[in-house]
Amino acid sequence: MLELICISYNDYLIRGDFKVLDKDSLWQKLSTEFRKNTTDLTYDTWIKPVTPVDFDGSTLTLSLPSELHRDYWKEQLAPNLIEYAFVITKGNIEPKFILDSDIKKEAQKKEPAKADSTADDQDETFSFSKETHLNPNYTFDNFIIGKGNQMAHAAALIVSEEPGKLYNPLFFYGGVGLGKTHLMQAIGNKRLEDHPETNVKYVTSEAFTNDFINAIQTNRTEEFRREYRNVDLLMVDDIQFFAQKEGTQEEFFHTFNDLYNNDKQIVLTSDRVPQEIPKLQERLVSRFAWGLPVDITPPDLETRIAILKSKAKLDNLTIPNETLSYIAGQINSNVRELEGALSRVQAYSKLKNEPITTDLVYEALKGLKLAKANNELSIMDIQNKVASYFHVTISDLKGKKRMKSIVIPRQIAMYLSREMTSNSLPKIGKEFGGKDHTTVIHACDKIAEVIKIDADIRKEISDIKTALS
Ligand SMILES: Nc1ncnc2c1ncn2[C@@H]1O[C@H](COP(=O)(O)OP(=O)(O)OP(=O)(O)O)[C@@H](O)[C@H]1O
């Protein structure tokens, strides 16, 4: 990787021997490419309203006026942007999308606190509390109970009232977007509301791993241990990502023991039972089963309608009951997609300046509905699943980054698109950021070979296939 030598030069920065544009100049050049290659209507609707916010040499942050714009950019325009940017800068540029409303909200929030703000404050993610990293919206009040999550909900409530006693660790497992994180954080939020003195810590397993690696690199392992072992309630999300991380597992084992022996509460989530997490140490598997492992399954129709009703109320949306039932009937996979459908509908109604009716919803969700009616798995379904399984973005799958952590998921997604859909090789290539069909053939051959010798990848692919079928 070439070093960034920050020499300001008109609108250029110089990186190695490449010229790197600043955000406005880069965006101007990209807009010109889009104007050349799209219709006036597409340009005026989707590209013109975009504002460049930041460009750090590898990520271009763009602000968009609505959720609908964001969906459209992610699904349709991002691959073109990556390609145009590659031609312009000779580098891999990733787009990042934020909403104009988030920028406004953030500006308003910062305004009163300006006087005592610090550099650290500026790094905080929107609306997340600095100390605990809890999302304040993930509460028991906002959580709709249905058949698939009632056990998990009951256990969570008990743990929030009597941590460290009955179910330790509490272990939620289940598919993507079913509310594991929400429920876990609801425990933390309630505990803090009832007992503000409680020391609560929420991290993803990746954040734990990164903290640990940083601590080693900076000789601060003692500090790391003090931080993690001095809490009353530790929540670690998505622990399936501890798979194959020997050193982190070792450290987590000691963290776990320390907290457990001191009657501190541990809450964990994973997309599968501990026994199925590849290369998870046996002693961790058995410890995770000490408390209560409880699964969360997808919501039935009634629960989906109730969830939609509650989200609509939170967003002050007026939606007739039959329209809510219609939306709930269209999306039966997970709650995150249900929320996505609702925000797509909301944005569509704003754009058209019409009230939300079943007809309007039909139009807004047309693309999703068509895929469902044909009952065919789309390449997009596969990309979504693979991206969430490996925690990469859709842009990663469509882009050109050569890191192993991205290349393997990309090749797996191409392989599955070939295996599980009837799309031609050129069509698959096109859906992966306009790649040539020979790249797809190479990916398919590569994965077919790897499957023969690598049991972990074989298992991962089989998990994704099961989730897709
Ligand atoms: N029962 C529910 N009631 C209200 N909202 C819900 C419910 N279940 C899930 N959600 C919402 O769905 C979204 C996805 O949930 P969450 O992130 O908790 O899922 P997850 O199971 O942790 O997914 P992942 O495995 O991808 O991390 C969140 O916005 C959450 O608030």
Side-chain angles (χ1 to χ4, degrees):
M1 200 55 182
L2 292 162
E3 273 296 291
L4 181 74
I5 310 165
C6 288
I7 303 170
S8 195
Y9 180 67
N10 293 337
D11 59 359
Y12 286 98
L13 297 172
I14 311 291
R15 185 173 60 173
D17 50 358
F18 296 137
K19 285 181 173 180
V20 182
L21 298 159
D22 73 9
K23 66 175 173 26
D24 295 316
S25 319
L26 176 58
W27 177 244
Q28 203 180 15
K29 286 180 190 297
L30 287 167
S31 305
T32 310
E33 285 306 308
F34 276 114
R35 189 178 262 301
K36 271 195 264 168
N37 293 299
T38 52
T39 62
D40 283 351
L41 187 64
T42 302
Y43 184 85
D44 288 345
T45 315
W46 305 110
I47 295 150
K48 215 167 152 193
V50 174
T51 317
V53 176
D54 184 44
F55 176 51
D56 64 5
S58 63
T59 303
L60 175 65
T61 306
L62 298 174
S63 181
L64 312 175
S66 76
E67 297 267 2
L68 196 63
H69 281 83
R70 183 158 64 185
D71 288 351
Y72 192 84
W73 264 95
K74 280 187 182 167
E75 286 162 20
Q76 308 287 338
L77 300 175
N80 296 354
L81 182 145
I82 291 168
E83 272 173 32
Y84 300 154
F86 186 78
V87 174
I88 296 166
T89 66
K90 304 283 178 293
N92 285 330
I93 308 296
E94 280 289 312
K96 181 176 158 194
F97 304 111
I98 57 174
L99 296 181
D100 296 347
S101 53
D102 286 338
I103 296 185
K104 267 192 214 124
K105 262 189 245 159
E106 184 65 356
Q108 280 163 2
K109 244 196 306 167
K110 278 193 176 150
E111 204 54 40
K114 230 177 194 169
D116 56 4
S117 76
T118 65
D120 279 348
D121 291 331
Q122 330 242 319
D123 288 339
E124 283 301 301
T125 321
F126 301 143
S127 85
F128 283 80
S129 134
K130 185 169 167 52
E131 299 80 18
T132 61
H133 295 280
L134 293 178
N135 180 338
N137 297 321
Y138 287 171
T139 61
F140 285 114
D141 287 346
N142 289 343
F143 191 81
I144 305 296
I145 306 162
K147 276 198 206 97
N149 61 30
Q150 60 192 6
M151 259 285 279
H153 175 266
L157 208 53
I158 290 174
V159 161
S160 73
E161 278 157 8
E162 297 212 63
K165 299 243 163 69
L166 221 45
Y167 305 132
N168 205 12
L170 177 59
F171 189 105
F172 296 131
Y173 65 93
V176 177
L178 294 182
K180 301 184 293 298
T181 304
H182 185 136
L183 213 41
M184 172 189 245
Q185 295 204 8
I187 299 174
N189 278 321
K190 176 153 171 48
R191 195 67 204 157
L192 281 172
E193 198 184 312
D194 297 346
H195 301 272
E197 74 287 357
T198 312
N199 195 352
V200 170
K201 190 166 180 71
Y202 165 87
V203 278
T204 61
S205 63
E206 283 140 324
F208 182 91
T209 306
N210 290 340
D211 280 358
F212 178 52
I213 293 171
N214 275 338
I216 295 176
Q217 285 172 342
T218 53
N219 281 331
R220 282 158 57 189
T221 44
E222 272 318 304
E223 208 174 297
F224 170 89
R225 285 180 187 140
R226 254 200 318 278
E227 192 183 329
Y228 275 92
R229 297 182 195 181
N230 191 24
V231 298
D232 304 307
L233 168 57
L234 177 66
M235 298 172 276
V236 186
D237 211 350
D238 286 330
I239 58 142
Q240 70 271 16
F241 295 109
F242 278 158
Q244 300 171 8
K245 291 183 182 125
E246 272 296 314
T248 308
Q249 287 189 27
E250 180 74 25
E251 184 60 32
F252 188 67
F253 173 76
H254 295 296
T255 308
F256 184 103
N257 285 346
D258 212 272
L259 293 175
Y260 186 87
N261 292 335
N262 287 302
D263 294 330
K264 305 299 186 191
Q265 179 70 44
I266 301 151
V267 185
L268 307 167
T269 75
S270 167
D271 65 351
R272 61 198 97 171
V273 287
Q275 292 84 339
E276 286 177 5
I277 300 175
K279 304 219 170 125
L280 184 64
Q281 292 177 2
E282 199 42 52
R283 54 189 187 164
L284 281 179
V285 173
S286 68
R287 268 165 183 74
F288 292 168
W290 278 352
L292 182 72
V294 47
D295 70 336
I296 302 187
T297 56
D300 56 19
L301 181 70
E302 285 70 33
T303 314
R304 295 203 299 279
I305 296 174
I307 290 174
L308 282 173
K309 243 187 207 161
S310 130
K311 306 267 174 208
K313 196 168 162 215
L314 279 178
D315 286 347
N316 281 327
L317 296 176
T318 313
I319 309 181
N321 281 342
E322 59 133 24
T323 308
L324 287 174
S325 306
Y326 178 78
I327 303 174
Q330 302 304 302
I331 312 287
N332 57 13
S333 39
N334 73 53
V335 183
R336 190 176 289 122
E337 284 184 14
L338 201 60
E339 287 180 345
L342 187 65
S343 63
R344 180 183 276 261
V345 166
Q346 185 180 1
Y348 199 78
S349 136
K350 255 195 215 149
L351 208 69
K352 292 222 139 196
N353 202 13
E354 287 174 18
I356 299 177
T357 59
T358 306
D359 283 348
L360 182 124
V361 169
Y362 174 83
E363 281 302 316
L365 303 183
K366 219 178 198 166
L368 301 172
K369 192 166 169 275
L370 274 178
K372 197 172 178 257
N374 293 334
N375 213 7
E376 218 211 45
L377 203 57
S378 67
I379 296 176
M380 206 173 97
D381 293 333
I382 293 175
Q383 289 171 336
N384 277 329
K385 190 64 72 191
V386 171
S388 95
Y389 187 90
F390 289 105
H391 277 229
V392 298
T393 64
I394 300 286
S395 303
D396 287 336
L397 295 181
K398 294 187 174 189
K400 296 187 170 94
K401 282 188 185 154
R402 304 296 311 156
M403 284 100 86
K404 197 173 169 202
S405 59
I406 293 176
V407 171
I408 301 267
R410 183 186 297 141
Q411 290 181 330
I412 289 178
M414 287 185 186
Y415 170 83
L416 290 174
S417 302
R418 179 73 175 141
E419 235 201 25
M420 300 182 82
T421 76
S422 54
N423 288 291
S424 65
L425 291 166
K427 167 86 173 131
I428 297 173
K430 189 162 171 259
E431 298 270 328
F432 279 83
K435 296 196 172 49
D436 193 77
H437 73 280
T438 53
T439 309
V440 183
I441 294 175
H442 172 72
C444 295
D445 290 349
K446 180 83 196 295
I447 296 301
E449 278 307 306
V450 173
I451 284 177
K452 286 186 204 152
I453 48 172
D454 189 326
D456 290 335
I457 291 200
R458 197 160 53 237
K459 167 90 175 61
E460 285 165 357
I461 292 179
S462 145
D463 285 348
I464 296 169
K465 272 177 143 176
T466 311
L468 281 166
S469 48

